[in-house]
Amino acid sequence: MCKHWAEATILRGPHEDLESYLAAIDVLKSIVHYFTSNKNLKSSDGVLNHVNNLLAKSVVKLEEEFGQLLASYSKPIEPDRLFNCLPNYLRPSAVDQRENGKNHRSEHSAKSSEGAVYKPPTLIPPRILPLLHDLAHQLVQAGHQQQCFKIYSNARAAALESSLRKLGVEKLSKEDVQKMQWEALEAKIGNWVHFMRIAVKLLFAGERKVCDQIFDGIKIPKDQCFGEVTMNSVETLLSFGDAVAKSKRSPEKLFVLLDMYEIMHELQPEFETIFEGKACIEMRESVVSLTKRLAQTAQETFGDFEELVEKDASKTTVLDGTVHPLTSYVINYVKFLFDYQSTLKQLFMEFETGSETVSQLAIVTTRIMQALQNNLDGKSKLYRDPALTYLFLMNNTHYMVRSVRRSEAKDILGDDWIQRHRRIVQQNANQYRRIAWSKILQTLSVQGMNSSASMATDGGNSSGVSRAAIKERFKSFNMQFEELHQKQSQWTVPDQELRESLRLAVAEVLLPAYRSFIKRFGALVDNGKNPQKYIKYTPDELEKLLGEFFEGKN
């Protein structure tokens, strides 16, 4: 009766009642054991052949059931499900808002990865895992380890690769990366950083857990099986990172390289844990290799940037002496660097031994700022008007100082750097004032004004100076001031405080000299013909006109 039940159960298959099916296999195995031990029985050979055939059929049906169960429950995970497993700040809505706000700095402003909670998705329902475990156990016991291995790895690898494709992961070669426009590549790198985090923390971690549960206690190389499942996916993800690391270096790539290095460094310990065992050693080494290559490329890009700043020969000339585009570009670049302080600290540790990484960042930053200053000194010599040369240097150095004071760079460059460059700003302002205004101030000086024979006909005065000479001085003053006004109202001092300070410095020298000159010699002109032709401006009008200087008006 028991034999007939077992046979009927085997022929029916395991799909409806796996527990009974496995019990039937045990019955058949006990029959085999009994008749093998009692070969003298007449019917033993016939029974053994029949039962062994049933057992062979049972293994085939177990394989089919194992494959069907895996196929039914190895479906790709939809992106939305994966996003819901992420900490709130990493979900698409939060990331999109930061990107729309043009905050390139990845998650640096909002990130707190240490306390982040990831909830790996359920890849296979918990009620199905024991069934798969029992099926795998029976297959391995029956000597079908390779078939079990192949069925499992094929099904799970296909599901994993499909999940990543739905997420947006694509296989790109080095040539594909080289051909991409920067904007497109930058977007893909940003996505890749998120994909790596999702792949390792959610998908690979989930696959490891499923593999360990299904093959728990079973003599099958779990690490090798897991490696087979994840190999193509890992290779696809790392090959993109490798292509970027090996692509042509350029300054704008530094920050995305730091993003990539940062995520690889962050995930490396988890990767070591998830991909443990000899079977996964190549994948672990690939992760370490990519992390170091990204660090190397980022460091080389630093050197490139310093050299680029020093040698920048752009023909962009700021005609009004304002802040040069190179200055604002470099300063923004340096500001961004300080959003990556912890990453840079780690990066420097990859190559430096025994030196403080904070000082390394200070050295790099100081060199970049000095390269900028050297370049600006060169650009300033392109101006024909030396007064504009010093105005240009004043504007740009002031922009550097103000930007450093308002950013974390002040803690790295230090107060000495700030004070030294503030003095440079003042020196440039003084040089501008001396060169631009010394000539016109000479027209208001009594030096060089001596009496002449024309005093007799032109009317003498107590100062012993001729009316003609005074008229000539006023005419010269008017002409020079109008020329200065016409020219320097087109020049720009973009910082309001600096602009007001510079106007005040000019006014403090010019207006007292003008008032004194009018007070001393104005009567000579007032008593003659057309006095307004010579004394065209009152001191108040001059002060008002000085208020139009450095406004960049065309």
Side-chain angles (χ1 to χ4, degrees):
M1 180 70 184
C2 197
K3 173 178 170 291
H4 292 303
W5 170 82
E7 182 175 352
T9 303
I10 294 300
L11 294 174
R12 191 164 55 245
H15 188 66
E16 292 179 7
D17 187 352
L18 180 61
E19 190 176 344
S20 296
Y21 194 85
L22 296 177
I25 289 174
D26 287 339
V27 168
L28 293 177
K29 285 180 179 177
S30 65
I31 292 171
V32 169
H33 179 72
Y34 176 78
F35 280 97
T36 303
S37 304
N38 297 278
K39 285 191 175 181
N40 55 336
L41 294 173
K42 285 183 179 180
S43 57
S44 65
D45 288 344
V47 171
L48 279 172
N49 284 337
H50 183 64
V51 172
N52 280 329
N53 284 335
L54 285 173
L55 283 172
K57 286 180 182 177
S58 75
V59 174
V60 172
K61 288 182 180 290
L62 285 173
E63 271 188 27
E64 290 173 356
E65 183 65 13
F66 189 61
Q68 285 172 8
L69 263 182
L70 277 170
S72 298
Y73 292 100
S74 292
K75 302 297 183 188
I77 308 295
E78 293 298 325
D80 285 348
R81 272 188 65 199
L82 290 170
F83 297 148
N84 288 334
C85 298
L86 295 170
N88 287 334
Y89 74 91
L90 285 175
R91 293 180 187 179
S93 56
V95 174
D96 291 344
Q97 284 169 12
R98 288 197 296 278
E99 286 174 356
N100 291 338
K102 300 192 184 299
N103 182 357
H104 161 78
R105 293 164 273 185
S106 188
E107 294 90 37
H108 287 269
S109 57
K111 188 173 70 175
S112 177
S113 59
E114 288 180 8
V117 177
Y118 294 82
K119 302 170 186 174
T122 301
L123 301 182
I124 293 177
R127 63 185 177 81
I128 302 299
L129 289 172
L131 302 180
L132 289 168
H133 173 271
D134 292 343
L135 286 165
H137 183 67
Q138 288 293 333
L139 289 171
V140 173
Q141 273 195 335
H144 283 237
Q145 178 179 301
Q146 285 303 315
Q147 292 90 323
C148 178
F149 185 107
K150 187 176 180 181
I151 292 168
Y152 179 83
S153 59
N154 285 348
R156 291 310 308 163
L160 174 61
E161 289 162 26
S162 184
S163 295
L164 289 172
R165 276 196 303 274
K166 279 177 172 278
L167 193 61
V169 175
E170 54 187 324
K171 181 99 172 173
L172 292 169
S173 67
K174 184 181 176 183
E175 291 70 29
D176 294 329
V177 169
Q178 290 282 28
K179 290 175 189 173
M180 272 186 210
Q181 294 294 316
W182 167 240
E183 291 77 11
L185 180 59
E186 185 181 28
K188 286 197 181 294
I189 291 171
N191 289 336
W192 181 87
V193 169
H194 294 303
F195 296 160
M196 282 299 300
R197 189 178 279 114
I198 289 169
V200 175
K201 290 181 176 286
L202 302 180
L203 291 172
F204 296 160
E207 288 295 345
R208 182 87 225 192
K209 186 177 178 182
V210 165
C211 187
D212 287 348
Q213 287 176 320
I214 290 175
F215 297 113
D216 183 39
I218 300 172
K219 289 184 178 179
I220 196 167
K222 284 189 292 186
D223 295 341
Q224 187 180 347
C225 196
F226 172 71
E228 285 289 327
V229 168
T230 53
M231 183 171 56
N232 285 343
S233 295
V234 170
E235 200 273 330
T236 297
L237 285 163
L238 297 189
S239 66
F240 176 78
D242 201 55
V244 173
K246 290 177 178 176
S247 64
K248 186 178 179 182
R249 297 195 303 271
S250 59
E252 66 270 15
K253 282 185 185 173
L254 177 61
F255 301 107
V256 292
L257 284 167
L258 291 175
D259 284 337
M260 294 173 78
Y261 169 76
E262 182 179 63
I263 192 64
M264 291 302 296
H265 185 265
E266 176 192 326
L267 296 175
Q268 200 169 315
E270 288 173 76
F271 208 94
E272 293 283 334
T273 302
I274 295 168
F275 289 81
E276 63 180 351
K278 286 184 179 179
C280 298
I281 192 166
E282 283 190 21
M283 285 187 274
R284 293 199 302 275
E285 286 175 350
S286 295
V287 166
V288 172
S289 174
L290 176 57
T291 306
K292 287 191 173 178
R293 189 172 295 115
L294 288 165
Q296 182 71 42
T297 306
Q299 192 178 56
E300 288 168 357
T301 305
F302 261 128
D304 292 347
F305 183 67
E306 182 188 336
E307 187 177 346
L308 181 81
V309 173
E310 181 96 49
K311 295 182 178 178
D312 175 74
S314 62
K315 301 301 180 186
T316 306
T317 305
V318 284
L319 299 175
D320 58 357
T322 190
V323 175
H324 197 279
L326 178 68
T327 306
S328 52
Y329 174 66
V330 172
I331 293 299
N332 284 333
Y333 202 90
V334 169
K335 281 181 183 176
F336 274 134
L337 284 180
F338 289 94
D339 289 319
Y340 289 87
Q341 276 197 72
S342 60
T343 306
L344 288 166
K345 182 178 179 181
Q346 188 60 49
L347 185 143
F348 290 133
M349 285 172 65
E350 297 268 358
F351 305 101
E352 303 293 337
T353 53
S355 61
E356 290 185 21
T357 52
V358 173
S359 67
Q360 278 294 314
L361 183 55
I363 289 166
V364 169
T365 307
T366 304
R367 284 208 308 252
I368 289 172
M369 297 296 267
Q370 187 58 52
L372 173 60
Q373 192 72 61
N374 294 345
N375 189 288
L376 292 171
D377 287 344
K379 283 179 168 44
S380 72
K381 293 177 173 62
L382 298 174
Y383 293 106
R384 292 181 180 177
D385 189 330
L388 187 54
T389 291
Y390 288 107
L391 190 84
F392 170 79
L393 288 171
M394 179 199 72
N395 276 328
N396 283 270
T397 309
H398 179 268
Y399 182 84
M400 291 164 67
V401 172
R402 188 191 64 177
S403 300
V404 166
R405 286 179 63 202
R406 293 179 179 179
S407 74
E408 293 179 71
K410 69 179 182 297
D411 300 325
I412 298 293
L413 292 171
D415 286 336
D416 286 349
W417 186 95
I418 292 172
Q419 293 308 321
R420 188 166 70 253
H421 284 78
R422 287 177 83 170
R423 287 195 293 274
I424 292 171
V425 173
Q426 190 57 54
Q427 287 163 9
N428 286 321
N430 292 343
Q431 287 286 72
Y432 152 78
R433 198 173 63 222
R434 181 183 63 79
I435 292 169
W437 296 93
S438 58
K439 186 179 177 184
I440 194 173
L441 285 169
Q442 286 173 9
T443 66
L444 303 176
S445 170
V446 294
Q447 290 180 354
M449 295 182 67
N450 48 27
S451 57
S452 68
S454 62
M455 282 175 58
T457 56
D458 210 13
N461 64 78
S462 58
S463 300
V465 179
S466 73
R467 179 179 286 118
I470 296 299
K471 286 180 178 180
E472 196 57 42
R473 285 294 185 96
F474 274 114
K475 278 175 68 178
S476 179
F477 176 87
N478 295 335
M479 183 182 70
Q480 286 188 51
F481 184 80
E482 285 160 9
E483 184 182 323
L484 285 166
H485 177 269
Q486 191 273 331
K487 184 163 54 174
Q488 296 199 25
S489 61
Q490 295 178 39
W491 294 359
T492 301
V493 177
D495 183 83
Q496 183 179 353
E497 188 178 335
L498 183 62
R499 185 169 63 246
E500 295 295 343
S501 171
L502 195 60
R503 286 171 181 163
L504 183 61
V506 171
E508 284 176 345
V509 175
L510 183 69
L511 296 180
Y514 188 67
R515 287 192 182 99
S516 176
F517 196 81
I518 288 178
K519 185 176 180 181
R520 188 167 184 180
F521 301 111
L524 277 177
V525 177
D526 284 337
N527 294 334
K529 294 179 181 179
N530 303 318
Q532 68 278 6
K533 180 180 175 182
Y534 302 100
I535 305 177
K536 291 178 71 172
Y537 306 105
T538 66
D540 287 345
E541 286 171 336
L542 271 189
E543 187 172 13
K544 186 178 178 183
L545 287 168
L546 282 175
E548 295 175 1
F549 278 52
F550 320 125
E551 290 284 352
K553 294 176 180 176
N554 294 320

